[in-house]
Amino acid sequence: MSRVQLALNVADLDASIEFYTKLFGTEPAKVREGYANFAIANPPLKLVLFTGMGEPGSLNHIGVEVDDVEAVGAMIARATELGIEQEIQEDVSCCFAVQDKTWVKGPENDWEFYYVKGDAPAMTCGVDATAAGWSSEAADAGTATAAAPSTCC
């Protein structure tokens, strides 16, 4: 099931986690320093919270989490066919996850279409996960090593 992703900048991660847990009736799927995400079933939503990444209360970014790598490829092909500018990233680390994605360039906001392949040990974004030793298998097994966090998601 694909779902829209809404990433928000928050001032107080703990208070935000408490609020969104109550609001949507679900615990976060992942919590790390300065970061949390919720995989909400109803409505289908991937809610991501960041601290220290922008003005609290503002939109960080928007996207669509898709079901598989093929769905990312389909979006890449569609954007290419439509002549829409995009930035394609394969096997990259972003937001504590190894992902394949494309950033489709909109007039005011870019949209991230992505598939999560596995966990990653750090917040860094755009890092070649394989070169960093963060293959989805290594990250999930806990054998990956972390690098300094980035503020680019």
Side-chain angles (χ1 to χ4, degrees):
M1 165 190 76
S2 294
R3 60 180 154 218
V4 171
Q5 174 193 289
L6 178 62
L8 305 174
N9 296 314
V10 300
D12 184 332
L13 186 62
D14 292 334
S16 295
I17 289 171
E18 181 179 349
F19 173 78
Y20 289 111
T21 297
K22 288 179 185 176
L23 182 65
F24 292 111
T26 189
E27 295 289 325
K30 185 184 288 189
V31 178
R32 302 289 189 272
E33 184 178 340
Y35 174 89
N37 77 44
F38 291 80
I40 300 165
N42 189 18
L45 173 67
K46 180 71 167 257
L47 178 65
V48 182
L49 308 174
F50 295 101
T51 59
M53 298 278 282
E55 183 68 30
S58 67
L59 177 68
N60 185 286
H61 67 278
I62 49 182
V64 177
E65 181 180 35
V66 298
D67 296 329
D68 51 40
V69 173
E70 290 76 19
V72 174
M75 177 49 66
I76 291 168
R78 183 163 187 259
T80 299
E81 179 181 311
L82 294 170
I84 298 173
E85 183 182 349
Q86 64 184 318
E87 180 183 341
I88 300 165
Q89 299 175 335
E90 296 178 340
D91 206 28
V92 296
S93 172
C94 183
C95 303
F96 297 99
V98 176
Q99 305 174 359
D100 279 0
K101 66 173 74 187
T102 187
W103 287 94
V104 177
K105 307 294 181 181
E108 277 88 32
N109 296 297
D110 297 346
W111 280 78
E112 174 189 30
F113 289 81
Y114 69 99
Y115 173 69
V116 174
K117 298 165 78 175
D119 206 17
M123 180 65 198
T124 57
C125 294
V127 172
D128 181 325
T130 303
W134 298 351
S135 68
S136 55
E137 296 81 16
D140 289 338
T143 58
T145 57
S150 171
T151 57
C152 66
C153 284

